[in-house]
Amino acid sequence: MQNFHPNGNCPIRDVLSRLGDKWSMLVLITLSANGTMRFSDIHKTIADVSQRMLTVTLRTLEADGLVERKVYAEVPPRVEYCLTERGTSLIPHIEGLVTWALQQMTGIMESRNAASGS
């Protein structure tokens, strides 16, 4: 039996806790679909994320080596984001999850409604 203990180094818990938030996968998919983007363009694409949460999410993804942030010494400064090689290697797995979710959403909603008695 394989154990997944909360203490120590559990890669599954660690990665899922970072990618399982509300915005990380959306940011990664957005960068994958559009290539290099400026902050404002990412924000427009994911309209319901606040600027603060987008900033936090991008910093987290950058710290994990999934997103690269490039600052240009211009006035005003220009900042662009793109996927790193590691981030690009994650995309097929996220796309698999997205495809599964799209295929299963109707059934999932029916099950939720049945469970809630609606």
Side-chain angles (χ1 to χ4, degrees):
M1 172 180 6
Q2 183 154 357
N3 292 311
F4 301 100
H5 297 291
N7 52 358
N9 185 14
C10 180
I12 295 169
R13 287 176 192 265
D14 185 62
V15 170
L16 289 179
S17 71
R18 295 296 281 248
L19 296 177
D21 66 31
K22 189 172 180 179
W23 304 111
S24 292
M25 284 198 221
L26 286 172
V27 169
L28 293 169
I29 288 293
T30 297
L31 289 172
S32 174
N34 297 299
T36 301
M37 297 178 75
R38 296 177 79 163
F39 181 92
S40 60
D41 294 328
I42 299 169
H43 191 245
K44 287 176 193 170
T45 305
I46 309 173
D48 52 338
V49 65
S50 70
Q51 287 188 0
R52 182 186 183 294
M53 279 311 305
L54 181 55
T55 299
V56 169
T57 301
L58 286 165
R59 285 182 184 157
T60 300
L61 294 171
E62 183 182 10
D64 285 349
L66 299 171
V67 168
E68 179 182 346
R69 177 179 187 262
K70 188 169 183 180
V71 180
Y72 294 90
E74 301 173 351
V75 177
R78 177 171 49 116
V79 179
E80 294 180 339
Y81 297 89
C82 65
L83 293 177
T84 62
E85 187 175 324
R86 181 177 299 141
T88 301
S89 73
L90 179 59
I91 295 303
H93 306 286
I94 295 173
E95 287 174 341
L97 181 60
V98 168
T99 300
W100 180 88
L102 292 171
Q103 292 170 346
Q104 300 297 321
M105 196 63 216
T106 301
I108 290 170
M109 295 309 292
E110 289 170 358
S111 294
R112 286 180 186 173
N113 288 335
S116 68
S118 300

